[in-house]
Amino acid sequence: MPVAPHISDFMASSSFIRKMFEEGMQLKQQYGADKVFDFSIGNPDLEPPAKINEMLRELGESHESRLHAYMPNAGYPETRKAMAEKVSGEQGVEIPFTHIVMGCGAAGAMNSVLKAILSPGDEVLVSAPYFVEYGQYVRNHGGTLVTVPAREDFSLDIAAIGAALNGKTAAIIINSPNNPTGKIYSSDEMEQLGKTLEAHRATCGRTVMIISDEPYREITYNGKTVSPIFPWWKDTVVVSSFAKNLSLPGERIGYTAICPDAENSLELAEAVAYTTRILGFVNAPATFQRIVAACWKESVDYSVYEKRREILMEILDAAGIPFLTPEGAFYLFCRVPERKHTTGEAGDDAAFCDHLKKYRILAVPGRGFGKAGWIRLAYCISERSIALSRDAFIQAGSAW
Amino acid sequence: MPVAPHISDFMASSSFIRKMFEEGMQLKQQYGADKVFDFSIGNPDLEPPAKINEMLRELGESHESRLHAYMPNAGYPETRKAMAEKVSGEQGVEIPFTHIVMGCGAAGAMNSVLKAILSPGDEVLVSAPYFVEYGQYVRNHGGTLVTVPAREDFSLDIAAIGAALNGKTAAIIINSPNNPTGKIYSSDEMEQLGKTLEAHRATCGRTVMIISDEPYREITYNGKTVSPIFPWWKDTVVVSSFAKNLSLPGERIGYTAICPDAENSLELAEAVAYTTRILGFVNAPATFQRIVAACWKESVDYSVYEKRREILMEILDAAGIPFLTPEGAFYLFCRVPERKHTTGEAGDDAAFCDHLKKYRILAVPGRGFGKAGWIRLAYCISERSIALSRDAFIQAGSAW
């Protein structure tokens, strides 16, 4: 009963993030949770807003029938209406509920979208560094992910994106605030991107879709906000979830929102509902559809993440580890420092993560995000744990 | 922003079941729910056991942290242990929790399994009639579904299955009690199937996996039970859910259980956890993982379905519509009767469903299950509605 050879191969080179997450659980059992500084995964430690559990209790007490039954594959109309209101506000474009399809997290939603649009041989562009699972998602549906290196400050390299577009390009994935860099793309970048896609359409005849993966949209610092995309490019689809802003990653609740001014927008919405069905999601989980319809205006206290960011940046400065100041999300992208006491390849991110692990600091090599020479630290862990990691970082930094 | 052409084509020829489900909702708005006899979909109307909502309330009141966080992709260890106990009892083989991967319903679980095992060009066998979504699930992962007609009584045609096996055959899907026929395969059929697969392995060298899709396992009549498969073929994987026995279809909670004596069984379990991740499921929904761990020994009152079956069989007899007596599940598979007052092709199941619709009876054509000339009635609707449908069936039968 063999595993398909290509799946075995993928597994062997599989996500560093999940490996670290699972190694971290082992280390914590061995040394105690206090003694392990686990910056490996974006698994928010902040508890969800109290209203979430209140709604769970209310649903448990309700005598409403068919609470757990099938509903249309796209989701409950009332949930879709709530999401339409949410995304209309974010994008500044009125979205009817017919253009919302509820999904099993942003990952599920993105798979449904890719399945709906990709033909064999199609390409999907992404600016690197990027969330590495995108490669798998695109490959699941017969496409190829094409990476375009970001500029030095991790903003989009619009000229390079323009050069990468060709007749096989079906879509470009935008992720802002970005995982792993914390970068937020500017409204100007979105405008330039729209113009580039328009010029490509004029010459090539093919419309390239923007897939905007926005689970971190609300988590921003210093008053920064995330610009809308619909005004700059109508052929845009937003996929998002409540994994990060409501701390519900395990519940797999998200959505797809399709710009109503896109070509064939309603047909695409129907196709995404259809692919949600045939991929085996069938529908987003019923209970959490009801909960997010009632709770989407809630949020965790993002200032907690902002404070942690400050503490961690101070520690990294003290440890001599250079980094990019994140504008949003809860990731710090750090450059592997110069070696002073160790030998080996300069900027070897995997070696630096192994080095940090000796100090019980868990981080993920940047090569796992298409950017060797860097590492990612997820700071959605307790302030106390971050503060306690100070000595470990300083020792690790000076011994490298 | 076009939909991929092959997806548009699939949608056009898409599931009759969902079409009827959505048409049914419209008819009910038009005529009132009382006046529409909706036998179209397996969406159980029985409320889940009371303990489900009690657990929801308890979780809502609990102060346990990280209730909604990520867990390992395979699921919570305690949930996997509960499922291992469940399937060990059903299969008579001790299954360690390492061989359980929680999934988003049986549909999600089956997609994860197929993704883990199929290489391009592989074939998957199924006995027809069959749940039509299997074709999509297999195609999602580069395989081809090959149908083998069942015997006249809808038991497995073991000789025909043996003849269909070849070097490209990766798996055979078994669904007992069967959707749409309600047939339960005998232990003898399982033994014969195991011997056939063994003979094929001996000559061809390839191990064919049995994927046993068992969401209806507990719903049986007249004291019948569903035989285990692991004793007859070790290279077997069970996929199942709590959609039908606990009436939780909208919550998308299910599992994969891998026979520990299978070749590479642990590697396969790891591959299924991996494909659960990369397909975007990531993990089965957290809250319902906790609920089924506590509630899997509960059930709805299956005698309700048994009573409805009796009522519906009496009605069909009175209406002159021949059928196969179901042994389990909640579907009645009926032969299209001879035409007496209408003209057209004999046994035209789509025409007969259209005819029934005039009497506000919603049924699904058998061609949607790979068996033209028959129709499926799902009797997971109220006894009252079934009883009220009597005149409509008799009028429809005599006017056909």
PDB file of all heavy atoms in Angstrom, chain B residues 158-180:
ATOM      1  N   ILE B 158     -17.734  -9.983  -8.143  1.00  0.00           N
ATOM      2  CA  ILE B 158     -16.311 -10.197  -7.843  1.00  0.00           C
ATOM      3  C   ILE B 158     -15.532 -10.586  -9.104  1.00  0.00           C
ATOM      4  O   ILE B 158     -14.406 -10.114  -9.322  1.00  0.00           O
ATOM      5  CB  ILE B 158     -16.151 -11.292  -6.757  1.00  0.00           C
ATOM      6  CG1 ILE B 158     -16.894 -10.890  -5.470  1.00  0.00           C
ATOM      7  CG2 ILE B 158     -14.679 -11.578  -6.479  1.00  0.00           C
ATOM      8  CD1 ILE B 158     -16.278  -9.769  -4.686  1.00  0.00           C
ATOM      9  N   ALA B 159     -16.145 -11.404  -9.944  1.00  0.00           N
ATOM     10  CA  ALA B 159     -15.449 -11.818 -11.170  1.00  0.00           C
ATOM     11  C   ALA B 159     -15.184 -10.614 -12.071  1.00  0.00           C
ATOM     12  O   ALA B 159     -14.087 -10.463 -12.631  1.00  0.00           O
ATOM     13  CB  ALA B 159     -16.283 -12.866 -11.908  1.00  0.00           C
ATOM     14  N   ALA B 160     -16.167  -9.731 -12.157  1.00  0.00           N
ATOM     15  CA  ALA B 160     -15.999  -8.547 -13.012  1.00  0.00           C
ATOM     16  C   ALA B 160     -14.953  -7.601 -12.419  1.00  0.00           C
ATOM     17  O   ALA B 160     -14.172  -6.977 -13.145  1.00  0.00           O
ATOM     18  CB  ALA B 160     -17.336  -7.827 -13.176  1.00  0.00           C
ATOM     19  N   ILE B 161     -14.927  -7.534 -11.100  1.00  0.00           N
ATOM     20  CA  ILE B 161     -13.890  -6.711 -10.448  1.00  0.00           C
ATOM     21  C   ILE B 161     -12.511  -7.296 -10.764  1.00  0.00           C
ATOM     22  O   ILE B 161     -11.583  -6.573 -11.139  1.00  0.00           O
ATOM     23  CB  ILE B 161     -14.132  -6.628  -8.925  1.00  0.00           C
ATOM     24  CG1 ILE B 161     -15.375  -5.756  -8.645  1.00  0.00           C
ATOM     25  CG2 ILE B 161     -12.901  -6.067  -8.205  1.00  0.00           C
ATOM     26  CD1 ILE B 161     -15.865  -5.808  -7.207  1.00  0.00           C
ATOM     27  N   GLY B 162     -12.409  -8.618 -10.631  1.00  0.00           N
ATOM     28  CA  GLY B 162     -11.132  -9.285 -10.940  1.00  0.00           C
ATOM     29  C   GLY B 162     -10.692  -8.993 -12.369  1.00  0.00           C
ATOM     30  O   GLY B 162      -9.510  -8.723 -12.631  1.00  0.00           O
ATOM     31  N   ALA B 163     -11.649  -8.999 -13.286  1.00  0.00           N
ATOM     32  CA  ALA B 163     -11.315  -8.768 -14.697  1.00  0.00           C
ATOM     33  C   ALA B 163     -10.912  -7.318 -14.951  1.00  0.00           C
ATOM     34  O   ALA B 163     -10.167  -7.026 -15.891  1.00  0.00           O
ATOM     35  CB  ALA B 163     -12.512  -9.135 -15.578  1.00  0.00           C
ATOM     36  N   ALA B 164     -11.395  -6.407 -14.101  1.00  0.00           N
ATOM     37  CA  ALA B 164     -11.088  -4.980 -14.307  1.00  0.00           C
ATOM     38  C   ALA B 164      -9.739  -4.579 -13.713  1.00  0.00           C
ATOM     39  O   ALA B 164      -9.206  -3.519 -14.028  1.00  0.00           O
ATOM     40  CB  ALA B 164     -12.198  -4.120 -13.704  1.00  0.00           C
ATOM     41  N   LEU B 165      -9.207  -5.421 -12.827  1.00  0.00           N
ATOM     42  CA  LEU B 165      -7.915  -5.098 -12.200  1.00  0.00           C
ATOM     43  C   LEU B 165      -6.806  -5.139 -13.237  1.00  0.00           C
ATOM     44  O   LEU B 165      -6.779  -6.018 -14.093  1.00  0.00           O
ATOM     45  CB  LEU B 165      -7.598  -6.119 -11.100  1.00  0.00           C
ATOM     46  CG  LEU B 165      -8.491  -6.114  -9.865  1.00  0.00           C
ATOM     47  CD1 LEU B 165      -8.227  -7.362  -9.008  1.00  0.00           C
ATOM     48  CD2 LEU B 165      -8.263  -4.849  -9.037  1.00  0.00           C
ATOM     49  N   ASN B 166      -5.887  -4.182 -13.128  1.00  0.00           N
ATOM     50  CA  ASN B 166      -4.711  -4.220 -14.013  1.00  0.00           C
ATOM     51  C   ASN B 166      -3.577  -3.484 -13.314  1.00  0.00           C
ATOM     52  O   ASN B 166      -3.732  -3.043 -12.163  1.00  0.00           O
ATOM     53  CB  ASN B 166      -5.064  -3.612 -15.377  1.00  0.00           C
ATOM     54  CG  ASN B 166      -5.392  -2.149 -15.278  1.00  0.00           C
ATOM     55  OD1 ASN B 166      -4.516  -1.318 -15.012  1.00  0.00           O
ATOM     56  ND2 ASN B 166      -6.665  -1.797 -15.447  1.00  0.00           N
ATOM     57  N   GLY B 167      -2.472  -3.355 -13.979  1.00  0.00           N
ATOM     58  CA  GLY B 167      -1.288  -2.765 -13.357  1.00  0.00           C
ATOM     59  C   GLY B 167      -1.460  -1.307 -12.955  1.00  0.00           C
ATOM     60  O   GLY B 167      -0.668  -0.773 -12.167  1.00  0.00           O
ATOM     61  N   LYS B 168      -2.489  -0.645 -13.479  1.00  0.00           N
ATOM     62  CA  LYS B 168      -2.721   0.761 -13.127  1.00  0.00           C
ATOM     63  C   LYS B 168      -3.699   0.906 -11.954  1.00  0.00           C
ATOM     64  O   LYS B 168      -3.916   2.008 -11.466  1.00  0.00           O
ATOM     65  CB  LYS B 168      -3.287   1.505 -14.345  1.00  0.00           C
ATOM     66  CG  LYS B 168      -2.261   1.656 -15.475  1.00  0.00           C
ATOM     67  CD  LYS B 168      -2.743   2.587 -16.568  1.00  0.00           C
ATOM     68  CE  LYS B 168      -3.765   1.902 -17.466  1.00  0.00           C
ATOM     69  NZ  LYS B 168      -4.205   2.762 -18.589  1.00  0.00           N
ATOM     70  N   THR B 169      -4.299  -0.211 -11.517  1.00  0.00           N
ATOM     71  CA  THR B 169      -5.302  -0.125 -10.452  1.00  0.00           C
ATOM     72  C   THR B 169      -4.625   0.160  -9.108  1.00  0.00           C
ATOM     73  O   THR B 169      -3.833  -0.648  -8.627  1.00  0.00           O
ATOM     74  CB  THR B 169      -6.106  -1.435 -10.340  1.00  0.00           C
ATOM     75  OG1 THR B 169      -6.520  -1.840 -11.647  1.00  0.00           O
ATOM     76  CG2 THR B 169      -7.297  -1.254  -9.422  1.00  0.00           C
ATOM     77  N   ALA B 170      -4.951   1.289  -8.525  1.00  0.00           N
ATOM     78  CA  ALA B 170      -4.356   1.655  -7.233  1.00  0.00           C
ATOM     79  C   ALA B 170      -5.277   1.282  -6.079  1.00  0.00           C
ATOM     80  O   ALA B 170      -4.803   0.959  -4.990  1.00  0.00           O
ATOM     81  CB  ALA B 170      -4.075   3.149  -7.191  1.00  0.00           C
ATOM     82  N   ALA B 171      -6.580   1.319  -6.293  1.00  0.00           N
ATOM     83  CA  ALA B 171      -7.506   1.143  -5.171  1.00  0.00           C
ATOM     84  C   ALA B 171      -8.876   0.752  -5.676  1.00  0.00           C
ATOM     85  O   ALA B 171      -9.194   0.901  -6.868  1.00  0.00           O
ATOM     86  CB  ALA B 171      -7.610   2.447  -4.371  1.00  0.00           C
ATOM     87  N   ILE B 172      -9.683   0.226  -4.758  1.00  0.00           N
ATOM     88  CA  ILE B 172     -11.101  -0.009  -5.025  1.00  0.00           C
ATOM     89  C   ILE B 172     -11.891   0.605  -3.879  1.00  0.00           C
ATOM     90  O   ILE B 172     -11.512   0.455  -2.703  1.00  0.00           O
ATOM     91  CB  ILE B 172     -11.409  -1.507  -5.220  1.00  0.00           C
ATOM     92  CG1 ILE B 172     -12.924  -1.746  -5.381  1.00  0.00           C
ATOM     93  CG2 ILE B 172     -10.866  -2.369  -4.081  1.00  0.00           C
ATOM     94  CD1 ILE B 172     -13.256  -3.144  -5.905  1.00  0.00           C
ATOM     95  N   ILE B 173     -12.926   1.338  -4.225  1.00  0.00           N
ATOM     96  CA  ILE B 173     -13.768   1.964  -3.199  1.00  0.00           C
ATOM     97  C   ILE B 173     -14.953   1.049  -2.906  1.00  0.00           C
ATOM     98  O   ILE B 173     -15.645   0.604  -3.828  1.00  0.00           O
ATOM     99  CB  ILE B 173     -14.288   3.345  -3.668  1.00  0.00           C
ATOM    100  CG1 ILE B 173     -13.128   4.308  -3.893  1.00  0.00           C
ATOM    101  CG2 ILE B 173     -15.277   3.921  -2.654  1.00  0.00           C
ATOM    102  CD1 ILE B 173     -13.539   5.646  -4.524  1.00  0.00           C
ATOM    103  N   ILE B 174     -15.156   0.760  -1.629  1.00  0.00           N
ATOM    104  CA  ILE B 174     -16.284  -0.047  -1.151  1.00  0.00           C
ATOM    105  C   ILE B 174     -17.149   0.869  -0.280  1.00  0.00           C
ATOM    106  O   ILE B 174     -16.616   1.595   0.569  1.00  0.00           O
ATOM    107  CB  ILE B 174     -15.750  -1.229  -0.298  1.00  0.00           C
ATOM    108  CG1 ILE B 174     -14.943  -2.199  -1.165  1.00  0.00           C
ATOM    109  CG2 ILE B 174     -16.890  -1.948   0.421  1.00  0.00           C
ATOM    110  CD1 ILE B 174     -15.754  -2.918  -2.220  1.00  0.00           C
ATOM    111  N   ASN B 175     -18.464   0.811  -0.491  1.00  0.00           N
ATOM    112  CA  ASN B 175     -19.365   1.696   0.262  1.00  0.00           C
ATOM    113  C   ASN B 175     -20.559   0.848   0.712  1.00  0.00           C
ATOM    114  O   ASN B 175     -21.427   0.520  -0.084  1.00  0.00           O
ATOM    115  CB  ASN B 175     -19.804   2.848  -0.656  1.00  0.00           C
ATOM    116  CG  ASN B 175     -20.840   3.778  -0.056  1.00  0.00           C
ATOM    117  OD1 ASN B 175     -21.751   4.232  -0.731  1.00  0.00           O
ATOM    118  ND2 ASN B 175     -20.726   4.078   1.224  1.00  0.00           N
ATOM    119  N   SER B 176     -20.545   0.486   2.002  1.00  0.00           N
ATOM    120  CA  SER B 176     -21.533  -0.451   2.543  1.00  0.00           C
ATOM    121  C   SER B 176     -21.884  -0.020   3.953  1.00  0.00           C
ATOM    122  O   SER B 176     -20.973   0.139   4.769  1.00  0.00           O
ATOM    123  CB  SER B 176     -20.911  -1.862   2.542  1.00  0.00           C
ATOM    124  OG  SER B 176     -21.720  -2.791   3.229  1.00  0.00           O
ATOM    125  N   PRO B 177     -23.184   0.183   4.265  1.00  0.00           N
ATOM    126  CA  PRO B 177     -24.337   0.183   3.379  1.00  0.00           C
ATOM    127  C   PRO B 177     -24.131   1.170   2.237  1.00  0.00           C
ATOM    128  O   PRO B 177     -23.560   2.239   2.435  1.00  0.00           O
ATOM    129  CB  PRO B 177     -25.483   0.633   4.283  1.00  0.00           C
ATOM    130  CG  PRO B 177     -25.041   0.334   5.671  1.00  0.00           C
ATOM    131  CD  PRO B 177     -23.559   0.469   5.661  1.00  0.00           C
ATOM    132  N   ASN B 178     -24.650   0.764   1.106  1.00  0.00           N
ATOM    133  CA  ASN B 178     -24.353   1.503  -0.117  1.00  0.00           C
ATOM    134  C   ASN B 178     -25.302   2.677  -0.338  1.00  0.00           C
ATOM    135  O   ASN B 178     -26.500   2.586  -0.099  1.00  0.00           O
ATOM    136  CB  ASN B 178     -24.472   0.527  -1.304  1.00  0.00           C
ATOM    137  CG  ASN B 178     -24.114   1.169  -2.634  1.00  0.00           C
ATOM    138  OD1 ASN B 178     -24.982   1.606  -3.384  1.00  0.00           O
ATOM    139  ND2 ASN B 178     -22.836   1.259  -2.917  1.00  0.00           N
ATOM    140  N   ASN B 179     -24.724   3.765  -0.791  1.00  0.00           N
ATOM    141  CA  ASN B 179     -25.469   4.874  -1.354  1.00  0.00           C
ATOM    142  C   ASN B 179     -25.300   4.759  -2.864  1.00  0.00           C
ATOM    143  O   ASN B 179     -24.165   4.803  -3.323  1.00  0.00           O
ATOM    144  CB  ASN B 179     -24.888   6.197  -0.840  1.00  0.00           C
ATOM    145  CG  ASN B 179     -25.510   7.415  -1.474  1.00  0.00           C
ATOM    146  OD1 ASN B 179     -26.491   7.336  -2.179  1.00  0.00           O
ATOM    147  ND2 ASN B 179     -24.907   8.565  -1.232  1.00  0.00           N
ATOM    148  N   PRO B 180     -26.317   4.489  -3.650  1.00  0.00           N
ATOM    149  CA  PRO B 180     -27.752   4.735  -3.414  1.00  0.00           C
ATOM    150  C   PRO B 180     -28.611   3.504  -3.111  1.00  0.00           C
ATOM    151  O   PRO B 180     -29.814   3.688  -2.948  1.00  0.00           O
ATOM    152  CB  PRO B 180     -28.177   5.295  -4.770  1.00  0.00           C
ATOM    153  CG  PRO B 180     -27.382   4.469  -5.742  1.00  0.00           C
ATOM    154  CD  PRO B 180     -26.040   4.256  -5.071  1.00  0.00           C
TER     155      PRO B 180
END
